[in-house]
Every structure is written in structure tokens, then in C-alpha cells.
Amino acid sequence: MPAFSGVLARDIMRRNLITAEPHQSLADLRHLFIESHISGAPVVENGRLAGIVSRSDLVRVEELVEALDAEVAEERFVDKQTDGFSHSDREGFQGFRRRLSELKVKDAMRAQVLTCSPETPVAEVAAEMVRHHVHRIVVVEGDKPIGIVSTLDVAALVAKA
């Protein structure tokens, strides 16, 4: 008999689901992650699963903004300006950095979410995590999220064995 063959997603899922909303600011999301000690959350709109967002998604957006800001800031005149004078280098463009403060969860989230039912065997959940290189799978009934299984939940199960 394979290890954990009788264990289902509902047996290890976290039911106290912490969720984000599409129109929530990324700053609010960052605070939610820190205060809740989580690294990702399902995005829910009107009770329905709309996506998933993680700290990695936040870092990806921030890195893109920084790269764009730096790229624009690097476009300087090497020689004297057209007025004949050399001007001091201006600071970074910061236009994209300002835009970052306006971004919402919907701008960073991933719309494709791996899901499972409460009756999905944990071995299958773990295999999907490995196959898709993700750290969480949302447990759903229909299109309503009811829980989440993270790699930490799977590790806790293995540690108890």
C-alpha cells in the first residue's frame, strides 16, 4: 500500500482561508501576507475563485518595474545637450515606480489556478505541485474555494508519519 494512500486533500487542507481581492492594492496584499504569515493566497471575487497571487508574483512585478525605470533612466545624452551645456545626470525616471503604487492584485495575480476537490488524494495533490512547480493548490467545490493545501501542509503530513 503506497504511503498516505488514505489521506485526502480535505484531511490536511487549511480551512481558514485567507483570500485577496482583485481590486486590493499590492501594498495591502503585502501587509496581508506579513500579518497572516503566508506567502500566497487565492484571489476571490464575489465568492468565486478568480486567480492566485504569491510573494513571487509581487517580486516579479517589482523587478519588472525597477528594470523599466532603470532602462528609461539610462537613456541620456552622452555629449552636451542641444543647448551647448553639459547637464548633471538626472535621477532615475521613477515613472514606473510611481505606477507600482497604483497597481492592484489583478495586475500581479495568475488567472490559471491549480485546484482540486476535497476528495483528491494527497499523493495526487503533491504530484501536481511537483509537476507544475507550485507551492499551493486551492481546494474547491464548484468554483468556490473552501481550503488550500500548501507544500508546508504536505511536509507536516510527512513529518508526522
Side-chain angles (χ1 to χ4, degrees), residues 3 12 16 31 42 46 61 70 83 89 110 114 126 143 152:
I12 67 167
N16 58 338
H31 291 298
N46 300 321
V61 168
D83 62 5
D89 288 342
R110 296 178 186 265
L114 283 180
D143 58 2
L152 190 56

Coordinates of all heavy atoms in Angstrom, one line a residue, residues 3 12 16 31 42 46 61 70 83 89 110 114 126 143 152:
A3 N 2.4 5.0 0.5 CA 2.3 5.9 1.7 C 1.2 7.0 1.5 O 1.0 7.5 0.4 CB 3.7 6.6 1.9
I12 N -5.9 17.5 5.2 CA -4.8 18.3 5.5 C -5.0 19.8 5.1 O -4.2 20.6 5.5 CB -3.5 17.8 5.0 CG1 -3.4 17.9 3.4 CG2 -3.2 16.4 5.5 CD1 -2.1 17.7 2.8
N16 N -9.3 27.8 7.2 CA -9.5 29.2 7.5 C -8.7 30.0 6.4 O -7.7 30.5 6.5 CB -8.9 29.6 8.9 CG -7.4 29.1 9.0 OD1 -6.9 28.3 8.2 ND2 -6.7 29.8 9.9
H31 N 1.0 43.6 3.1 CA 0.7 43.6 4.6 C -0.1 42.4 5.0 O 0.2 41.8 6.1 CB 0.0 44.9 4.9 CG 0.8 46.1 4.8 ND1 1.9 46.4 5.6 CD2 0.6 47.2 4.0 CE1 2.4 47.5 5.3 NE2 1.7 48.1 4.3
P42 N -5.4 32.7 -2.6 CA -6.4 32.7 -3.7 C -7.0 34.1 -3.8 O -7.1 34.8 -2.8 CB -7.5 31.7 -3.2 CG -6.9 31.0 -2.1 CD -5.9 31.8 -1.5
N46 N -16.6 38.0 -5.6 CA -18.0 37.6 -5.4 C -18.1 36.2 -5.0 O -19.0 35.4 -5.6 CB -18.8 37.9 -6.7 CG -18.8 39.4 -7.1 OD1 -18.9 40.2 -6.2 ND2 -18.7 39.7 -8.3
V61 N 6.6 41.5 -10.3 CA 6.1 42.8 -10.7 C 7.1 43.9 -10.3 O 7.4 44.8 -11.1 CB 4.7 43.1 -10.1 CG1 4.3 44.5 -10.3 CG2 3.7 42.2 -10.8
A70 N 14.9 51.7 -14.7 CA 16.4 51.8 -14.9 C 16.6 52.0 -16.4 O 17.5 52.8 -16.8 CB 17.1 50.6 -14.4
D83 N 21.5 72.6 -25.9 CA 21.7 74.0 -25.6 C 23.2 74.3 -25.4 O 23.6 75.4 -25.1 CB 21.0 74.4 -24.3 CG 21.4 73.6 -23.1 OD1 22.4 72.8 -23.2 OD2 20.7 73.7 -22.0
D89 N 23.5 64.5 -14.4 CA 22.6 63.3 -14.6 C 21.4 63.5 -13.7 O 21.5 63.8 -12.6 CB 23.3 62.0 -14.3 CG 24.4 61.7 -15.3 OD1 24.3 62.2 -16.4 OD2 25.3 60.8 -15.0
R110 N -2.1 35.4 -11.0 CA -2.2 34.5 -12.1 C -3.6 34.0 -12.2 O -4.2 33.5 -11.2 CB -1.2 33.3 -11.9 CG 0.2 33.8 -11.9 CD 1.2 32.7 -11.6 NE 2.5 33.3 -11.4 CZ 3.4 33.3 -12.4 NH1 3.1 32.9 -13.6 NH2 4.6 33.9 -12.2
L114 N -4.2 26.1 -10.0 CA -4.4 24.6 -9.9 C -5.3 24.4 -8.7 O -5.2 25.0 -7.6 CB -3.0 24.0 -9.5 CG -2.1 23.8 -10.7 CD1 -0.8 23.2 -10.2 CD2 -2.7 23.0 -11.8
A126 N 0.3 16.3 -4.2 CA 1.7 16.5 -4.2 C 2.3 16.4 -5.5 O 3.2 17.1 -5.9 CB 2.4 15.6 -3.2
D143 N -16.9 26.4 -8.2 CA -15.9 27.4 -8.3 C -15.7 28.2 -7.0 O -15.1 29.3 -7.0 CB -16.3 28.4 -9.5 CG -17.7 29.0 -9.2 OD1 -18.3 28.7 -8.2 OD2 -18.2 29.7 -10.1
L152 N 3.9 23.2 2.7 CA 4.1 23.1 4.1 C 3.1 22.1 4.8 O 3.5 21.3 5.7 CB 4.0 24.4 4.8 CG 4.4 24.5 6.3 CD1 5.9 24.0 6.5 CD2 4.3 25.9 6.8

